[in-house]
């Protein structure tokens, strides 16, 4: 069959351009619908925007917009208003405008009740139910601005208030520290009574003195102590009570602390605190830090010249497990075995020593682990070999002006036994029962419980939940304790 000439062929239908036109037309129609919808929304705004309010002029000045009153932001706005109103309440009271402070407080309560109601029913606040509360609070906040409770004034007054509170807090803290120190050092009536009765027993009963073959003159306090050890059974334990007056080597020419006690400036610092205008906290000026009973721990080889190893215990500890295993611990050539306390950063060397001083900065690592006095194993053979007491004397003599450390026996101990301390397992020595909360599991596992801190268990200020740990070792059935009202 003959094909038609090209000129007479039917043109091919092109459907694609038509599809494009129809798509464009649809888009235009959709845009038109959207525009109409927007106009309808604008026209159908809530009537609350058009209503007349009592405080229209004020509201316009505050520039409260529809967006601020919309359903998804009213809760936030009410919360912000409450925060600002609370600040204005403080300022109003400071300005002695008690009536306005009361009005603000009442409106704060209204706002809080509304928020609480919405939270209880677990549905968002609507514009209609929150409108009145928001506007009433806005009115009061506007009044606050008219009373010159503006931001700058508020900040200045709050700063002044904070400064005054800080000064009050400092004063209260100083008094608290002072009275706490006094309370910590008091001798309870029951203990005083016990000392008096024991001393009377000692003088009135020659049998007690013969038990200890006592022929020397001793102080009254030691007589009470010796009477106690004579009257009670310690299951075969040898008790040796000594007094440091018998230590002939304990004199000012050998012991730096005794030499410092003779210095008038040192006496003024520790016993009156007048040489620095009382700027130094009372805890740093406590005379007990110059007591030889505290510093005798650095002279243990002289106190016990025949011993090779000792376990040292403070007088505020409770031993609840066998300590004989401590004597077989290998100290790896070190002098001191102690539990480290650097689990927290504030128990490292920089906590106790003055690292602005070149002597401290050059010789000691500030991040070195601190450790605890109160339960220590001392190898006295190594102690004597390394002349540890001489090291202690060296640092005490350089701290005569108290620039290396401020207080206590732990800082000089950290210096003296630096590089000579072997860490012990933490269960040997549990600290903190006299000032903080301690993990009950550590207490249960601990061999020695240390009531370090001011809250000793025999004092009224002792931590109540820890007192039974000490009281269970006290035989309250003893006649002397009952006579002195121990309970």
């Amino acid at each position: 069959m003959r094909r038609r000439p090209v000129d007479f062929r039917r043109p091919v239908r092109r459907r694609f351009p038509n599809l494009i036109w129809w798509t464009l037309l649809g888009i235009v129609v959709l845009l038109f619908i959207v525009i109409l919808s927007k106009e309808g929304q604008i026209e159908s705004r809530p009537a609350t925007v058009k209503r007349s309010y009592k405080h229209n002029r004020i509201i316009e000045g505050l520039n409260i917009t529809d967006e601020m009153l919309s359903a998804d932001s009213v809760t936030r706005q009410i919360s912000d208003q409450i925060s600002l109103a609370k600040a204005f309440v403080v300022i109003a009271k400071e300005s002695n405008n008690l009536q306005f402070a009361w009005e603000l407080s009442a409106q704060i309560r209204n706002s809080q009740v509304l928020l609480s109601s919405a939270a209880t029913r677990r549905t968002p606040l609507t514009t209609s139910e929150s409108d009145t509360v928001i506007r009433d609070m806005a009115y009061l906040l506007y009044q606050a601005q008219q009373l010159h409770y503006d931001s700058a004034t508020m900040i200045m007054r709050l700063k002044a208030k904070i400064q005054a509170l800080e000064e009050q807090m400092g004063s209260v803290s100083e008094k608290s520290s002072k009275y706490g120190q006094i309370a910590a050092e008091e001798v309870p009536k029951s203990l005083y009574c016990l000392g008096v009765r024991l001393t009377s027993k000692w003088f009135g009963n020659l049998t007690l003195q013969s038990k200890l073959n006592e022929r020397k003159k001793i102080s009254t306090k030691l007589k009470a102590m010796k009477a106690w050890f004579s009257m009670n059974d310690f299951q075969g334990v040898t008790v040796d009570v000594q007094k440091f007056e018998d230590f002939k080597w304990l004199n000012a020419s050998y012991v730096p602390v005794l030499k410092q006690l003779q210095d008038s400036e040192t006496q003024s610092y520790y016993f009156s605190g007048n040489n620095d205008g009382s700027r130094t906290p009372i805890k740093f000026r406590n005379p007990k830090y110059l007591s030889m009973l505290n510093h005798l721990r650095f002279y243990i080889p002289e106190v016990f010249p025949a011993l090779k190893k000792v376990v040292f215990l403070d007088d505020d500890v409770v031993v609840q497990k066998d300590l004989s295993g401590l004597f077989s611990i290998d100290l790896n050539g070190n002098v001191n075995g102690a539990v480290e306390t650097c689990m927290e950063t504030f128990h490292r060397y920089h906590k106790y020593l003055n690292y602005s001083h070149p002597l401290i900065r050059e010789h000691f690592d500030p991040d070195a682990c601190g450790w605890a006095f109160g339960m220590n194993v001392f190898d006295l053979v190594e102690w004597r070999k390394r002349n540890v007491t001489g090291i202690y004397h060296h640092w005490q003599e350089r701290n005569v002006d108290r620039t290396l450390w401020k207080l206590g026996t732990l800082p000089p101990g950290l210096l003296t036994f630096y590089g000579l301390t072997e860490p012990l397992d933490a269960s040997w020595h549990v600290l903190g029962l006299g000032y903080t909360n301690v993990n009950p599991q550590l207490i249960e596992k601990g061999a020695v419980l240390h009531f370090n801190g001011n809250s000793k268990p025999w004092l009224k200020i002792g931590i109540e939940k820890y007192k039974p740990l000490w009281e269970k070792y006290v035989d309250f059935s003893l006649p002397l304790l009952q006579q002195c009202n121990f309970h």
Side-chain angles (χ1 to χ4, degrees), residues 19-259:
L19 181 60
I20 293 176
W21 284 109
W22 279 109
T23 302
L24 292 174
L25 180 61
I27 292 172
V28 171
V29 172
L30 287 174
L31 288 173
F32 184 72
I33 293 172
V34 171
I35 292 171
L36 289 177
S37 175
K38 289 290 184 180
E39 290 178 354
Q41 289 180 2
I42 294 173
E43 290 298 323
S44 60
R45 285 180 181 175
T48 55
V49 178
K50 296 181 180 179
R51 281 187 301 179
S52 173
Y53 293 97
K54 180 178 179 180
H55 308 299
N56 267 344
R57 180 178 60 81
I58 296 172
I59 298 305
E60 290 172 3
L62 290 174
N63 194 26
I64 296 180
T65 65
D66 294 326
E67 186 275 334
M68 293 171 67
L69 298 176
S70 63
D72 62 349
S73 67
V74 290
T75 299
R76 172 185 53 77
Q77 185 174 352
I78 291 175
S79 299
D80 291 345
Q81 285 184 327
I82 290 174
S83 299
L84 185 57
K86 286 180 177 179
F88 284 143
V89 167
V90 174
I91 298 174
K93 288 181 178 179
E94 288 294 315
S95 303
N96 204 30
N97 193 346
L98 302 183
Q99 175 63 29
F100 186 62
W102 179 87
E103 292 177 5
L104 278 171
S105 298
Q107 190 55 44
I108 289 172
R109 286 192 294 272
N110 292 340
S111 300
Q112 290 173 334
V113 167
L114 183 62
L115 291 177
S116 177
S117 174
T120 302
R121 72 178 187 230
R122 298 183 178 180
T123 57
L125 286 172
T126 63
T127 303
S128 58
E129 64 181 330
S130 59
D131 179 76
T132 301
V133 168
I134 289 177
R135 291 179 181 274
D136 287 348
M137 181 66 87
Y139 173 63
L140 289 176
L141 296 178
Y142 177 79
Q143 281 188 311
Q145 291 181 347
Q146 298 305 303
L147 291 169
H148 303 292
Y149 296 164
D150 54 85
S151 299
T153 303
M154 181 176 69
I155 291 171
M156 289 177 63
R157 292 191 178 183
L158 286 177
K159 282 185 176 179
K161 182 68 175 178
I162 291 171
Q163 183 177 357
L165 289 174
E166 286 178 345
E167 291 175 356
Q168 292 177 17
M169 185 176 67
S171 175
V172 170
S173 178
E174 176 68 16
K175 290 179 180 178
S176 175
S177 176
K178 182 183 297 184
Y179 297 144
Q181 199 68 51
I182 293 172
E185 294 171 9
E186 72 170 355
V187 177
K189 291 181 179 179
S190 55
L191 282 178
Y192 180 79
C193 167
L194 180 61
V196 172
R197 289 184 178 273
L198 285 171
T199 303
S200 300
K201 287 280 185 183
W202 178 267
F203 281 113
N205 192 338
L206 295 178
T207 305
L208 293 179
Q209 300 180 33
S210 64
K211 280 185 178 181
L212 295 179
N213 297 318
E214 181 60 52
R215 294 186 176 88
K216 300 178 182 179
K217 293 183 179 180
I218 59 175
S219 67
T220 302
K221 289 183 179 179
L222 282 178
K223 288 174 182 175
M225 187 181 296
K226 285 180 176 286
W228 176 263
F229 288 126
S230 300
M231 294 170 61
N232 294 282
D233 179 23
F234 294 92
Q235 300 179 1
V237 173
T238 300
V239 178
D240 181 23
V241 180
Q242 302 186 53
K243 63 180 186 297
F244 58 76
E245 287 86 356
D246 290 338
F247 301 142
K248 302 304 180 183
W249 46 267
L250 202 61
N251 53 68
S253 62
Y254 178 61
V255 179
V257 169
L258 291 178
K259 187 189 301 182

Side-chain angles (χ1 to χ4, degrees), residues 259-432:
K259 187 189 301 182
Q260 292 171 17
L261 275 173
Q262 298 174 357
D263 180 68
S264 60
E265 184 182 349
T266 300
Q267 291 177 0
S268 176
Y269 178 84
Y270 281 103
F271 294 96
S272 67
N274 295 328
N275 60 331
D276 67 346
S278 297
R279 291 189 302 272
T280 305
I282 187 173
K283 67 177 182 179
F284 294 121
R285 303 196 308 267
N286 195 325
K288 74 176 183 180
Y289 297 121
L290 291 180
S291 168
M292 280 311 304
L293 290 177
N294 279 326
H295 289 266
L296 271 177
R297 65 192 67 195
F298 296 102
Y299 300 93
I300 291 177
E302 284 93 336
V303 176
F304 303 106
L307 297 183
K308 296 181 178 180
K309 202 173 213 179
V310 299
V311 172
F312 170 85
L313 296 172
D314 264 348
D315 58 359
D316 54 355
V317 303
V318 165
V319 179
Q320 61 178 12
K321 293 187 179 179
D322 184 10
L323 302 183
S324 59
L326 288 169
F327 288 94
S328 59
I329 291 178
D330 185 2
L331 297 182
N332 296 311
N334 288 307
V335 177
N336 173 31
V339 171
E340 292 184 333
T341 57
C342 61
M343 288 73 74
E344 302 89 3
T345 57
F346 55 84
H347 281 152
R348 297 184 184 271
Y349 267 50
H350 62 75
K351 166 66 178 178
Y352 306 99
L353 306 172
N354 177 19
Y355 273 84
S356 64
H357 197 291
L359 275 177
I360 298 296
R361 192 169 57 249
E362 292 170 9
H363 292 88
F364 303 97
D365 178 7
D367 291 322
C369 280
W371 45 267
F373 265 136
M375 198 297 298
N376 304 77
V377 185
F378 292 121
D379 184 334
L380 301 186
V381 175
E382 285 294 325
W383 184 312
R384 297 181 184 101
K385 185 188 300 183
R386 295 171 180 263
N387 189 24
V388 171
T389 302
I391 298 173
Y392 162 72
H393 286 169
H394 170 84
W395 290 112
Q396 276 288 358
E397 288 169 352
R398 276 151 185 76
N399 193 46
V400 66
D401 56 357
R402 299 172 298 280
T403 56
L404 303 186
W405 69 87
K406 284 288 186 183
L407 79 167
T409 54
L410 180 56
L414 295 176
L415 301 182
T416 300
F417 294 101
Y418 184 73
L420 300 175
T421 299
E422 180 71 14
L424 301 181
D425 187 275
S427 62
W428 284 113
H429 187 190
V430 178
L431 299 110

